[in-house]
């Protein structure tokens, strides 16, 4: 009982102290922070993305990106960083999109229509429609037989060894090729999730001029420059700490050179 009374008295004293303290004016007045331009610095925890534990696959992607930036890349691999510019790639994709392969439903409908026409005694066009070719083995065969008119290769094939030799093969057989960004973009053309490479063999009469123009441009930009690409290494980009160390060493060298001149 005595303990309970003591606890009651202590809580009463704390409440009384709080009441009396609330009436006193504080010596330190709070100052509102201004986070506008030129104002106060934002707290580090405002954007919680930096403090978040990201999933493992995202961390691996980011580590891989940094690692690839740091390492020196051999010429055969560095070729795939020399992608076609945005405008050129857009022109090539628009031409390839005109010759998208049929879906299974479209093919079934075409064959049914042809069968009905044949049944009625009408003339049927036996020639296969002109479509974009895909599949690495198929395109390799087309290049070796010199049937391919223009080849597109994705820059982000994983593993890259699958298509590492393809630019050299195209150059050897004189087939115009271009390296473009996005295997998923190539896959969209042929109703696939991803595609390593695409090729056009023939086009309709109205598109022959466009194909010739794009082939010549691809040949100038990629085929004719393969000799220089084979000698060009991808330089590793140093990290911020390494760059700071190099800058420090350079400053020491400059100071030493200046002091030597004075002497």
């Amino acid at each position: 009982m005595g303990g309970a009374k003591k606890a009651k008295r202590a809580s009463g004293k704390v409440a009384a102290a709080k009441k009396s303290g609330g009436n006193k004016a504080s010596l330190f007045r709070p100052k509102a922070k201004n986070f506008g331009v030129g104002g106060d610095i934002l707290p580090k925890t405002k954007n919680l993305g930096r403090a978040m534990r990201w999933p493992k696959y995202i961390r691996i992607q980011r580590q891989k990106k940094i690692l690839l930036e740091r390492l020196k890349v051999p010429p055969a691999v560095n070729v795939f960083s020399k992608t076609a510019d945005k405008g050129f790639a857009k022109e090539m994709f628009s031409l390839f999109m005109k010759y998208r392969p049929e879906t299974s439903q479209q093919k079934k409908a075409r064959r049914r229509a042809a069968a009905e026409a044949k049944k009625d005694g009408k003339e049927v066009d036996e020639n296969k429609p002109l479509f974009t070719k895909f599949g690495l083995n198929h395109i390799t065969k087309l290049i070796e037989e010199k049937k391919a008119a223009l080849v597109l290769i994705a820059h982000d094939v994983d593993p890259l060894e699958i298509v590492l030799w393809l630019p050299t093969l195209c150059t050897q057989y004189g087939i115009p090729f271009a390296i473009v960004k996005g295997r998923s973009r190539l896959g969209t053309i042929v109703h696939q999730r991803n595609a390593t490479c695409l090729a056009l063999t023939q086009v309709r009469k109205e598109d022959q001029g466009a194909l010739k123009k794009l082939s010549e441009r691809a040949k100038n930009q990629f085929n004719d420059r393969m000799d220089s690409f084979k000698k060009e290494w991808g330089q590793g980009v140093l990290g911020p700490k390494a760059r700071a160390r190099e800058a420090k060493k350079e400053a020491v060298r400059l100071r030493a050179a200046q002091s030597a001149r004075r002497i």
Side-chain angles (χ1 to χ4, degrees):
M1 289 295 285
K5 282 181 181 179
K6 280 181 183 179
K8 269 189 178 181
R9 280 178 209 150
S11 62
K13 281 179 183 179
V14 171
K18 279 184 179 177
K19 278 183 182 178
S20 62
N23 297 330
K24 286 182 181 178
S26 177
L27 295 172
F28 301 98
R29 298 288 174 87
K31 186 184 173 184
K33 287 193 175 183
N34 173 30
F35 295 117
V37 178
D40 296 302
I41 297 166
L42 286 163
K44 280 188 176 180
T45 52
K46 188 175 187 302
N47 183 10
L48 294 175
R50 60 181 289 283
M52 178 180 168
R53 185 174 175 81
W54 293 95
K56 192 176 180 180
Y57 77 96
I58 290 176
R59 278 182 277 141
I60 288 168
Q61 281 174 0
R62 289 176 179 177
Q63 288 165 1
K64 186 182 176 184
K65 183 178 178 288
I66 290 166
L67 191 65
L68 290 173
E69 283 176 3
R70 300 285 177 271
L71 297 172
K72 277 195 172 184
V73 181
V77 177
N78 192 45
V79 171
F80 289 86
S81 66
K82 315 285 185 185
T83 53
D85 60 77
K86 194 177 179 181
F88 183 32
K90 193 177 179 182
E91 286 179 37
M92 288 191 288
F93 280 127
S94 62
L95 180 64
F96 275 72
M97 280 294 278
K98 287 183 180 180
Y99 297 91
R100 289 186 86 183
E102 294 172 315
T103 60
S104 56
Q105 292 86 359
Q106 288 170 343
K107 188 176 181 179
K108 199 180 284 183
R110 178 175 60 82
R111 293 180 75 176
R112 189 181 284 115
E116 285 173 4
K118 203 170 186 179
K119 188 180 177 182
D120 296 339
K122 296 176 183 175
E123 287 186 10
V124 179
D125 187 12
E126 297 292 339
N127 296 324
K128 283 185 179 180
L130 301 172
F131 292 133
T132 299
K133 311 294 181 185
F134 65 100
L136 187 60
N137 291 340
H138 187 197
I139 287 171
T140 304
K141 192 177 179 184
L142 291 172
I143 292 166
E144 288 173 346
E145 291 174 356
K146 295 190 177 182
K147 288 180 180 178
L150 179 61
V151 176
L152 297 186
I153 307 167
H155 86 298
D156 57 348
V157 177
D158 190 25
L160 194 62
E161 289 83 358
I162 296 170
V163 292
L164 196 64
W165 44 270
L166 205 55
T168 308
L169 186 73
C170 290
T171 308
Q172 187 181 342
Y173 283 92
I175 305 297
F177 76 94
I179 296 166
V180 292
K181 284 187 177 179
R183 56 185 173 175
S184 58
R185 290 171 77 193
L186 295 185
T188 305
I189 295 170
V190 292
H191 310 291
Q192 301 287 324
R193 187 179 293 174
N194 295 312
T196 55
C197 50
L198 304 178
L200 277 177
T201 50
Q202 289 179 325
V203 291
R204 292 184 286 273
K205 199 173 183 181
E206 63 268 20
D207 292 322
Q208 283 176 359
L211 178 63
K212 191 179 178 183
K213 188 181 173 183
L214 291 171
S215 299
E216 284 174 3
R217 195 172 168 187
K219 209 162 191 176
N220 294 334
Q221 198 168 329
F222 291 95
N223 294 58
D224 296 345
R225 294 172 65 195
M226 273 300 287
D227 290 334
S228 63
F229 288 160
K230 284 175 184 176
K231 298 172 187 174
E232 194 175 334
W233 279 70
Q235 294 296 323
V237 180
L238 294 174
K241 288 181 182 177
R243 285 201 298 271
R245 279 199 301 271
E246 290 296 320
K248 214 171 184 179
K249 285 178 186 175
E250 190 61 33
V252 170
R253 281 193 215 104
L254 284 170
R255 280 199 297 272
Q258 285 171 1
S259 60
R261 281 175 199 162
R262 285 171 192 164
I263 293 164

